[in-house]
Amino acid sequence: MIGAWEFSEYMLVVSIILLTMNIGMYIYRVFICKEVLLKNVGRRFLPSLLVFAALLALLVLNIKACTAESLSLWLGFPLFVGSLLVTFLLYWSFGQQRTLERRAMTVLETILGVIEAGDPNLEGHSLHVRNLTLLLYDYLPLTQRLKINVHNLEYAALLLDVGKLGVPRSIINKSGKLQPEEWDLIRRHPELAVKILQPITAFDMISNWIKYHHERVDGTGYYHLRNDQIPLASRLIAVADTYSAMTMERSYRATMTHEEAVAELRRAAGSQLDAEIVRIFVHIPYNKIEESLNEVRTAMRRYEDGDFRIRAGDSK
């Protein structure tokens, strides 16, 4: 039969394991995993540091109690319950943050969807690029995925063309050849996007991803960056953006089939687009790519019908 000392020791061992996991999760979520809506700047850094110090102090207390020569149930049980309570509060807090993130993403998606629903030459392009970018991300090697926060990548992919709000519709929808000054305005839309988002300091960490999403890997792009000088996220978005632009309906040109678009991507690999990312994209099963477009079509029909309600599932 297990005595009070052994039972208290078992509880403290479980507490130590829980607290160690909690500290690891807290370090990752707060100090390493820098997300747009969880950006810790200014006065928010100190409370985060205090919470971390409290977790560490509780862990040290549990270790000292576990290694003490005499241990009573009255000491082990409160520490065990305290560790359970801390675990619950942390998971609840992170769950609330994730809910907030999803709701913010849904609101942003709705706003962009409504804007694009009024333009036959945009018609869900931003949503489509977002879906394709996240799909491409899922097929990246693990070492590449670890370099990018996927939630930040989603924001960048959705906002890639927000700079076109500063370009006259007559230029964007022009079917003929653009004049040099018109082409210059189109070329500046990534820079305009950064300026539009500049007041929202949380977007600072993704601004360069948006700014450089039209860079060419051969160095002949807008800012003359080449290969790995271009952020990985920008190179991912560039492939998704190019495919979407070729396969979605436009009033000023014919729509390409999947096979034609894939052939164009292969031709652009190594000059305009990252060759390795293109290789990964063209090997994604077509049914997955088709699903991403069908999701956009469903969403755009909802926006065109004036149904902007946030459904329960959207906030999960």
Side-chain angles (χ1 to χ4, degrees):
M1 185 175 179
I2 299 177
W5 190 91
E6 290 87 352
F7 187 64
S8 295
E9 189 175 35
Y10 290 148
M11 286 192 295
L12 286 173
V13 169
V14 173
S15 295
I16 291 170
I17 293 173
L18 282 175
L19 288 169
T20 302
M21 292 173 59
N22 290 339
I23 289 173
M25 179 180 66
Y26 193 80
I27 291 174
Y28 175 75
R29 287 282 292 164
V30 176
F31 298 109
I32 298 177
C33 183
K34 297 179 179 179
E35 295 184 13
V36 165
L37 290 187
L38 301 180
K39 187 179 180 183
N40 286 280
V41 293
R43 66 177 184 273
R44 291 185 59 191
F45 181 77
L46 182 57
S48 300
L49 199 60
L50 290 175
V51 172
F52 173 73
L55 286 171
L56 197 60
L58 187 57
L59 175 62
V60 171
L61 184 60
N62 274 268
I63 293 174
K64 285 188 174 181
C66 189
T67 55
E69 293 185 1
S70 60
L71 179 64
S72 69
L73 184 63
W74 299 110
L75 179 60
F77 183 72
L79 289 174
F80 175 70
V81 172
S83 299
L84 288 179
L85 181 61
V86 167
T87 301
F88 170 79
L89 290 174
L90 277 179
Y91 275 90
W92 178 83
S93 173
F94 291 145
Q96 291 296 106
Q97 290 174 349
R98 184 61 65 209
T99 298
L100 174 63
E101 291 168 0
R102 293 316 308 169
R103 286 179 176 169
M105 186 65 70
T106 302
V107 170
L108 178 60
E109 177 185 322
T110 301
I111 292 171
L112 291 172
V114 171
I115 292 172
E116 295 190 354
D119 190 326
N121 290 317
L122 291 177
E123 195 64 23
H125 175 64
S126 297
L127 276 63
H128 192 213
V129 173
R130 185 273 307 273
N131 287 0
L132 290 174
T133 301
L134 295 183
L135 180 62
L136 179 53
Y137 173 87
D138 288 339
Y139 281 84
L140 289 178
L142 178 60
T143 53
Q144 297 287 74
R145 294 202 304 271
L146 291 175
K147 295 178 181 179
I148 302 176
N149 182 296
V150 68
H151 303 293
N152 292 351
L153 179 64
E154 185 173 6
Y155 277 106
L158 262 178
L159 293 166
L160 85 162
D161 279 342
V162 72
K164 287 184 178 179
L165 294 174
V167 180
R169 296 292 97 185
S170 58
I171 295 178
I172 292 177
N173 297 330
K174 188 174 181 178
S175 56
K177 185 178 180 180
L178 293 175
Q179 297 300 315
E181 62 274 12
E182 294 174 331
W183 181 238
D184 184 59
L185 279 174
I186 291 290
R187 286 167 60 95
R188 289 183 58 213
H189 82 266
E191 179 185 338
L192 290 173
V194 173
K195 289 183 178 179
I196 290 171
L197 298 173
Q198 192 172 17
I200 309 173
T201 57
F203 284 130
D204 290 349
M205 63 181 71
I206 64 170
S207 61
N208 280 345
W209 297 358
I210 297 170
K211 183 177 181 179
Y212 299 130
H213 79 271
H214 275 305
E215 282 302 273
R216 296 172 58 96
V217 296
D218 62 6
T220 61
Y222 298 170
Y223 301 97
H224 305 293
L225 302 181
R226 62 172 63 243
N227 298 321
D228 290 346
Q229 292 177 330
I230 305 169
L232 174 59
S234 301
R235 286 178 273 145
L236 292 173
I237 294 171
V239 172
D241 183 31
T242 304
Y243 178 87
S244 176
M246 290 188 292
T247 56
M248 294 194 79
E249 294 182 5
R250 296 289 185 270
S251 63
Y252 50 83
R253 59 154 175 77
T255 302
M256 291 187 185
T257 65
H258 172 70
E259 291 73 19
E260 291 171 336
V262 164
E264 288 296 321
L265 289 178
R266 286 190 167 120
R267 275 192 282 272
S271 56
Q272 175 187 346
L273 304 171
D274 186 297
E276 178 60 18
I277 294 175
V278 168
R279 184 192 67 78
I280 294 171
F281 184 87
V282 300
H283 284 93
I284 296 175
Y286 175 63
N287 67 300
K288 296 287 187 182
I289 293 176
E290 191 174 31
E291 284 175 12
S292 71
L293 179 56
N294 289 336
E295 289 176 6
V296 173
R297 287 170 175 162
T298 300
M300 295 310 295
R301 281 195 296 268
R302 192 167 77 237
Y303 300 138
E304 288 166 1
D305 293 340
D307 183 1
F308 311 137
R309 292 170 296 176
I310 298 178
R311 285 149 175 77
D314 293 336
S315 63
K316 293 180 181 179

